[in-house]
Amino acid sequence: MKRNVRVAAVSAGLLALGVSAAVALTAMQQARLRQRLLAGLESPDREVRRQAAWTAAELRQTAIAPRLIEQLAGREPDEGVREAYVYALGRMGDPAYFDALTTVIRDDPSGYVRCAAWLAAARADPQRTRARLAVAPPPTDPWDRIGQAQARVATGDVSGFEELLYRAEHGEAPRREVAARALYKWLRPLLDAAGRWPLDANAREGEIWPEALTAELRQRCAELPLAQIAADTLQHAPRSEQFRRNVWRLTRARERLAAVLFADAGANGNGVGHE
């Protein structure tokens, strides 16, 4: 029993030390990380450029943002990579990027990228995005309509759900998938909060949804004070998502630490017992 307590105490101490060391190591290597990301953005491999943008977004490497904006201004030929750059700017969440994102909305030849830019703009500066949506004429391109609908929902306007439900039912597969993903991200939590998400829903994130499901969701939305539910629910969504990410990262850190602490004992068949 004493051995178990001692091992648990040592494990807890090493976990705390490991987390602190990781934070310190990250701080010491910031400059090196930035250089690697900048080099990744210059790679001839499109997948390397995309991964560099996603990493910059996840780690909030705002020092990379000027290069992303520069690439979006005309140097990056691949629409999938431009979408990753737009996503990264949105995830960084700085209002200073709003003008660059609205330039993408206005000028990019790819509807897919413009759609992503609407959502990124909403994340970067919700207030200015709402103002822009208020005066924007209804677009004709389905991608732009999906983008505007996502921006509306992301800034608290539930009127965007009707467009997303329609686009999840109609059109080409990529647009239906994007619309369904947006509904999964924003509509499902609202209906869950009201106890109205269908328990038998055959819906997964990133898949095309059956038309019967979108029809049922539309009916359930019509029966609920969705705006009120959104006002009570969506304000907590960013913190909930960050909490989920932090728990996942801590769990991974604990798993790696446990592997280091107990790998030898497990290999020798002498693991610590339970009493």
Side-chain angles (χ1 to χ4, degrees):
M1 179 67 176
K2 289 182 179 179
R3 185 184 180 191
N4 287 350
V5 172
R6 185 167 61 252
V7 169
V10 171
S11 300
L14 286 175
L15 177 59
L17 180 61
V19 171
S20 299
V23 172
L25 184 63
T26 300
M28 290 187 295
Q29 292 188 334
Q30 285 297 318
R32 185 177 180 185
L33 174 61
R34 285 195 294 271
Q35 289 303 316
R36 287 186 175 182
L37 292 175
L38 289 169
L41 295 178
E42 298 296 334
S43 171
D45 187 329
R46 66 182 295 273
E47 191 58 33
V48 173
R49 300 197 301 276
R50 291 176 67 192
Q51 290 290 343
W54 289 336
T55 301
E58 186 67 25
L59 300 180
R60 297 297 196 273
Q61 289 292 307
T62 56
I64 307 300
R67 184 65 60 85
L68 297 175
I69 293 171
E70 177 186 334
Q71 300 281 49
L72 283 170
R75 292 181 54 193
E76 175 52 59
D78 187 279
E79 72 169 12
V81 178
R82 294 200 305 278
E83 187 273 340
Y85 292 174
V86 161
Y87 167 81
L89 292 174
R91 279 296 303 272
M92 291 175 189
D94 191 329
Y97 310 147
F98 181 80
D99 289 339
L101 291 167
T102 55
T103 298
V104 174
I105 291 170
R106 185 189 66 217
D107 296 340
D108 199 282
S110 167
Y112 175 62
V113 177
R114 295 195 305 273
C115 175
W118 272 110
L119 178 55
R123 287 170 168 165
D125 194 327
Q127 184 174 355
R128 292 172 71 186
T129 300
R130 283 192 291 267
R132 185 177 180 89
L133 286 167
V135 299
T140 57
D141 189 299
W143 278 120
D144 291 315
R145 296 184 73 92
I146 295 171
Q148 286 193 7
Q150 289 188 98
R152 291 184 191 282
V153 173
T155 57
D157 181 357
V158 298
S159 68
F161 283 129
E162 179 57 38
E163 182 70 31
L164 291 173
L165 286 165
Y166 178 83
R167 297 299 165 184
E169 291 175 326
H170 302 91
E172 297 178 357
R175 291 195 290 267
R176 293 181 66 188
E177 290 172 2
V178 170
R181 185 178 295 113
L183 291 169
Y184 193 92
K185 178 180 178 64
W186 284 301
L187 182 58
R188 178 172 181 169
L190 299 188
L191 296 186
D192 269 340
R196 295 289 287 153
W197 179 260
L199 295 179
D200 59 347
N202 182 21
R204 295 180 178 85
E205 187 174 9
E207 295 183 356
I208 293 176
W209 289 1
E211 291 186 18
L213 173 61
T214 54
E216 182 177 356
L217 293 177
R218 183 180 290 105
Q219 178 62 36
R220 295 189 180 207
C221 288
E223 296 169 353
L224 292 170
L226 209 57
Q228 180 180 339
I229 297 171
D232 294 337
T233 304
L234 291 181
Q235 61 179 319
H236 303 296
R239 283 183 293 177
S240 298
E241 176 64 14
Q242 187 61 46
F243 178 78
R244 184 189 66 80
R245 288 175 178 271
N246 288 341
V247 169
W248 180 83
R249 289 168 180 160
L250 180 59
T251 300
R252 292 289 296 163
R254 292 178 63 186
E255 289 173 352
R256 289 192 293 269
L257 181 60
V260 172
L261 285 173
F262 304 119
D264 291 340
N268 296 327
N270 296 321
V272 177
H274 297 280
E275 295 183 3

